Amino acid sequence: MPTRLHKNRKKRGHVSAGHGRVGKHRKHPAGRGNAGGLHHHRILFDKYHPGYFGKVGMRHFHKTTQKYYCPTMNLDRLWTLVSAKVREEHAKKTDVAPVIDVTQSGYFKVLGKGRLPNQPVIVKAKFFSKLAEKKIRDVGGVCILTA
């Protein structure tokens, strides 16, 4: 914006430039940034940012990520781990079911999203959700837990 359009041009000749003589226009009278959140700005923080201060939950000392490493896979993607040819071969047979080991593909847990084709299958994994186990059993399959 050019200088001639600034509000200050209108204030020339008026001593305090609209900021008053008594209170004065000082640099940061209430503190910079979030200063005073626990003191003079407490009402604002409590009203608009409840829970901003304090802690929640327990601390976990020396947290390492490998304890929580558990890649998951949903049922709707289960059959992508074996070829379509295997599925077609086993669709005709009733005495043998294909074995799908999800841990070999890098997954630890099987979750229950999606639908399974109506074909028995043996699934090996470290963990199964309740729903996944139910859906696998409903199509005549088996869940095998591996270490």
Side-chain angles (χ1 to χ4, degrees):
M1 184 192 294
T3 309
R4 66 192 166 78
L5 297 178
H6 278 271
K7 194 185 221 175
N8 192 46
R9 298 312 306 159
K10 287 227 188 294
K11 307 279 187 185
R12 285 295 186 210
H14 304 279
V15 176
S16 301
H19 290 294
R21 284 174 186 273
V22 181
K24 296 180 194 62
H25 185 210
R26 294 281 158 84
K27 294 270 177 81
H28 296 278
R32 292 178 189 236
N34 287 337
L38 286 171
H39 306 288
H40 54 285
H41 289 154
R42 173 167 262 172
I43 288 173
L44 178 138
F45 270 78
D46 288 348
K47 183 175 181 182
Y48 296 110
H49 310 287
Y52 180 82
F53 294 107
K55 299 175 182 177
V56 172
M58 296 191 304
R59 294 170 62 181
H60 185 165
F61 301 110
H62 192 64
K63 184 178 182 178
T64 49
T65 52
Q66 75 269 21
K67 270 189 203 105
Y68 301 99
Y69 180 76
C70 187
T72 58
M73 161 169 261
N74 279 308
L75 284 181
D76 53 4
R77 299 220 33 247
L78 192 66
W79 279 100
T80 61
L81 299 181
V82 292
S83 64
K85 186 180 169 192
V86 171
R87 187 179 156 206
E88 286 160 17
E89 282 175 15
H90 286 84
K92 296 158 195 159
K93 300 176 186 173
T94 53
D95 55 339
V96 192
V99 178
I100 301 176
D101 192 352
V102 296
T103 49
Q104 281 183 344
S105 303
Y107 298 99
F108 284 6
K109 186 169 184 174
V110 179
L111 303 176
K113 180 187 164 211
R115 295 171 63 187
L116 276 175
N118 201 1
Q119 180 178 342
V121 61
I122 298 166
V123 186
K124 289 184 174 183
K126 290 189 177 193
F127 308 103
F128 291 92
S129 70
K130 265 187 209 164
L131 188 62
E133 205 166 347
K134 182 183 178 302
K135 286 185 179 180
I136 292 168
R137 290 225 178 96
D138 287 349
V139 294
V142 182
C143 300
I144 297 176
L145 292 170
T146 58

